[in-house]
Amino acid sequence: MIQPRRIAYQGEPGSNSHAVCEREFPQLESVPCASFEDAFAAVERGDDEGPSADLALIPIDNSLAGRVSDIHHFLPTSGLHIVGEHFHRIRFSLLGVPGATLDQLQTVHSHVHALGQCRNVIRELGLEPVISGDTAGAAREIAEAADPTRAAISPPLAASIYGLDVLREDIEDEDHNTTRFVVLSREFIVPPRGSGPMVTSFIFNVRNIPAALYKALGGFATNGINMTKLESYMVGGRFAATQFLSEVDGHPDDPGLKLALDELRFFTTDVKILGVYPASPERR
């Protein structure tokens, strides 16, 4: 395996993705990307022209908002593989320019999801919500505006990066707001069987006929395999076939999972293993 040097993430410096990169991969250079597509491309292109990275850290699920839909379309065709997972408790702070006070505030800026996850404090302070493209970008915009009547809802890391004051901490409505991130690599790295709890992620297609999914998944039940994710989405705008993204506990070389995958292939098409990686202890 090539020793990684850079890790790409979607968002501006100070975002939750950036915070996870700094926490989990402090030895790597974090590379901000404007979009998920750019983050995927940074790893796909390797050392060619343009920004490049060895790994990407991408959010895939959130305990409140559900799946991050764009990712499920990029993953199957990207040529990248999942090599790890990390969970991050989402915390938001209310940030203002130095010297600003709560009673001065009139508007609050953030990503639409963050505004929706912090309704209580917005209502309490009587603020007008303003949608920004990114939580960390909102902090940058507030710093550039230097207006004490404007605040940002952003991760705490953004305060130190953009020189803002934390006017209130932990303002999210729910204390279980957690995002699951996956680590993507060009290399298909499979840990050896028996090296701890594993997760196997894969995709498959089924024809849109009665009992197709029932038959495809029967092998997991009969072989005692715990399936932790099963999500469907249309492919290419067609209604005649459906693609599924699934995750199960176990290693493909485990006898039970090996039999279940063999049976899956019999009843489906385009089965592709996206990754085999250690299960995070935070799954509990």
Side-chain angles (χ1 to χ4, degrees), residues 126-150:
L127 303 179
E128 177 187 350
V130 178
I131 296 174
S132 296
D134 179 76
T135 54
R140 174 184 52 77
E141 293 165 2
I142 296 305
E144 292 172 349
D147 183 347
T149 69
R150 300 167 62 181

Side-chain angles (χ1 to χ4, degrees), residues 219-274:
F220 295 95
T222 56
N223 287 285
I225 302 302
N226 182 37
M227 183 170 287
T228 56
K229 176 194 286 290
L230 181 65
E231 296 182 344
S232 66
Y233 48 102
M234 297 297 175
V235 180
R238 293 180 293 117
F239 290 91
T242 304
Q243 188 166 77
F244 288 85
L245 170 64
S246 182
E247 292 179 351
V248 296
D249 292 341
H251 192 287
D253 291 338
D254 294 341
L257 183 51
K258 188 176 187 305
L259 289 171
L261 290 172
D262 287 343
E263 190 166 337
L264 175 71
R265 292 184 179 96
F266 185 80
F267 289 108
T268 63
T269 62
D270 304 318
V271 177
K272 179 181 179 182
I273 302 290
L274 297 178

Side-chain angles (χ1 to χ4, degrees), residues 146-168:
D147 183 347
T149 69
R150 300 167 62 181
I153 291 176
S154 304
L157 178 62
S160 58
I161 290 178
Y162 299 107
L164 298 175
D165 285 351
V166 177
L167 305 180
R168 187 176 291 186

Side-chain angles (χ1 to χ4, degrees), residues 27-236:
Q27 77 280 14
L28 304 184
E29 177 188 353
S30 298
V31 181
C33 297
S35 67
F36 290 128
E37 191 170 12
D38 289 342
F40 274 77
V43 182
E44 291 170 0
R45 70 167 59 97
D47 294 325
D48 295 335
E49 294 182 2
S52 64
D54 306 294
L55 303 172
L57 182 90
I58 300 294
I60 193 168
D61 300 296
N62 177 266
S63 60
L64 295 179
R67 73 184 186 184
V68 181
S69 58
D70 288 348
I71 305 309
H72 298 70
H73 294 285
F74 291 142
L75 261 177
T77 58
S78 67
L80 303 183
H81 307 281
I82 304 174
V83 296
E85 66 174 0
H86 299 282
F87 290 78
H88 182 64
R89 163 79 162 81
I90 302 299
R91 288 184 166 86
F92 289 120
S93 295
L94 188 66
L95 309 182
V97 297
T101 60
L102 291 176
D103 58 4
Q104 289 179 294
L105 300 181
Q106 297 177 11
T107 61
V108 60
H109 303 243
S110 197
H111 188 274
V112 62
H113 287 167
L115 293 170
Q117 293 166 12
C118 300
R119 290 190 180 93
N120 290 342
V121 73
I122 294 174
R123 187 182 308 113
E124 174 196 340
L125 298 176
L127 303 179
E128 177 187 350
V130 178
I131 296 174
S132 296
D134 179 76
T135 54
R140 174 184 52 77
E141 293 165 2
I142 296 305
E144 292 172 349
D147 183 347
T149 69
R150 300 167 62 181
I153 291 176
S154 304
L157 178 62
S160 58
I161 290 178
Y162 299 107
L164 298 175
D165 285 351
V166 177
L167 305 180
R168 187 176 291 186
E169 297 178 320
D170 296 331
I171 61 172
E172 60 278 3
D173 297 341
E174 304 290 344
D175 61 5
H176 58 76
N177 187 358
T178 300
T179 295
R180 175 178 171 245
F181 293 82
V182 292
V183 182
L184 304 179
S185 170
R186 288 187 301 276
E187 295 185 75
F188 189 18
I189 304 165
V190 179
R193 178 174 176 253
S195 54
M198 293 288 162
V199 177
T200 298
S201 298
F202 55 94
I203 56 172
F204 61 92
N205 288 0
V206 298
R207 290 177 297 160
N208 192 12
I209 59 175
L213 184 60
Y214 174 82
K215 294 175 181 177
L217 299 183
F220 295 95
T222 56
N223 287 285
I225 302 302
N226 182 37
M227 183 170 287
T228 56
K229 176 194 286 290
L230 181 65
E231 296 182 344
S232 66
Y233 48 102
M234 297 297 175
V235 180

